[in-house]
Amino acid sequence: MDSNDAPDLSRLRLDHPSEGIARITFSRPDRMNAADARFIADAKAALAEVDADTSIRVLVLTGEGRAFCAGLDLTGFGDEDLVDERGKVLRTMERQKEIADLVARVRALRVPVIAAVNGAVAGVGLSLLCASDVRYAVPQAVMAVGYIRAGFSACDMGLSWLLPRIIGAGRAQELMLTGRRFSAQEAHTFGLLAGVVDAEDLHDTVMATASQIMQNAPLSVEFTKEGLWKSLEIPSFEAAVEFENRQQLFTALLDDRAEATSSFLEKRTPKYHRR
């Protein structure tokens, strides 16, 4: 994308800490990166830019300040003009769909998403965390479902689908029904996090994982991400195997598959071309 066409982002930063790696940093530290209408729009614009750039192999999500994302901004969503125009009921449903769509876009993104949790996580922040593919957090990070403590159903923004599949139904039920806070170490024990790392090591840990992912062929990674998520919805082992067979056939015929094999046998760094 030409720099003149880059989206005007006020609630986050989009940068590239290394070749092939993009990073979205939620940047509203005075509100603990709480989400409002502009936050949602900015995040969708940044995700669209990442998805369209085939040179990007991995996306990192993180936050600025004391929070990753502390949920929705309960002081105001910033769409009062639309509430006046369309009425509270209709606009509330539109708003709900807009926020849930952001979580769906993270899950469906072409490339793997690594969440680097730098602080507090609640509400939509927890849904974004669950929609990511690999998750790390600092020891100080505290998490909560959030919605139920604010008087809403805890089944929101895809969480009732995502969380039980990651940590199991029993534990998800306990967390969602109580809305209690839980620590990064608990989240690691539950299987929600790949690791708990000190703040000064978080960036290096995430970049190391991104680098490991990028040692694999681009389309092989993209197909694996898609296959892993889709297999959670496939109703039988036989259907999952048939889906896998088609993935294997497609990747077997790629130029990058041959390059992966050659570079492994020749003990050299592969040169992929996403073809």
Side-chain angles (χ1 to χ4, degrees), residues 55-154:
S55 71
I56 294 174
R57 302 279 316 279
V58 178
L59 172 66
V60 176
L61 291 182
T62 192
E64 179 182 349
R66 298 182 297 115
F68 177 76
C69 173
L72 292 182
D73 190 338
L74 297 180
T75 66
F77 193 68
D79 62 348
E80 290 75 14
D81 56 332
L82 294 177
V83 173
D84 292 341
E85 176 186 331
R86 299 174 189 175
K88 184 175 182 179
V89 173
L90 178 59
R91 180 54 197 158
T92 299
M93 178 55 75
E94 290 175 342
R95 179 193 300 169
Q96 181 71 27
K97 289 182 177 181
E98 289 168 5
I99 302 166
D101 180 58
L102 171 61
V103 177
R105 291 192 192 197
V106 170
R107 175 175 172 260
L109 197 70
R110 173 181 56 82
V111 300
V113 179
I114 303 177
V117 179
N118 57 296
V121 182
V124 65
L126 185 60
S127 291
L128 291 171
L129 176 66
C130 290
S132 301
D133 301 288
V134 183
R135 310 161 198 90
Y136 294 98
V138 298
Q140 300 86 352
V142 176
M143 307 177 189
V145 173
Y147 317 116
I148 198 165
R149 289 295 180 94
F152 299 97
S153 167

Side-chain angles (χ1 to χ4, degrees), residues 226-247:
E226 180 186 30
L228 281 165
W229 281 113
K230 280 187 166 48
S231 287
L232 294 175
E233 304 178 54
I234 293 175
S236 71
F237 173 79
E238 290 78 9
V241 170
E242 282 301 308
F243 179 75
E244 290 178 340
N245 289 343
R246 284 153 178 77
Q247 284 206 332

Side-chain angles (χ1 to χ4, degrees), residues 208-273:
T209 298
S211 296
Q212 286 182 312
I213 291 172
M214 291 169 61
Q215 291 173 18
N216 302 313
L219 287 169
S220 298
V221 170
E222 292 173 26
F223 269 68
T224 299
K225 169 175 176 166
E226 180 186 30
L228 281 165
W229 281 113
K230 280 187 166 48
S231 287
L232 294 175
E233 304 178 54
I234 293 175
S236 71
F237 173 79
E238 290 78 9
V241 170
E242 282 301 308
F243 179 75
E244 290 178 340
N245 289 343
R246 284 153 178 77
Q247 284 206 332
Q248 293 301 76
L249 174 63
F250 186 91
T251 52
L253 300 175
L254 294 171
D255 292 346
D256 281 347
R257 199 284 312 157
E259 168 63 10
T261 300
S262 298
S263 62
F264 175 78
L265 294 173
E266 297 167 11
K267 295 181 173 55
R268 60 174 174 82
T269 302
K271 296 180 180 178
Y272 297 126
H273 300 285

Side-chain angles (χ1 to χ4, degrees), residues 17-33:
S18 184
E19 183 177 357
I21 302 173
R23 177 174 56 195
I24 292 174
T25 303
F26 304 134
S27 184
R28 206 183 177 205
D30 57 316
R31 298 294 305 157
M32 295 187 71
N33 300 321

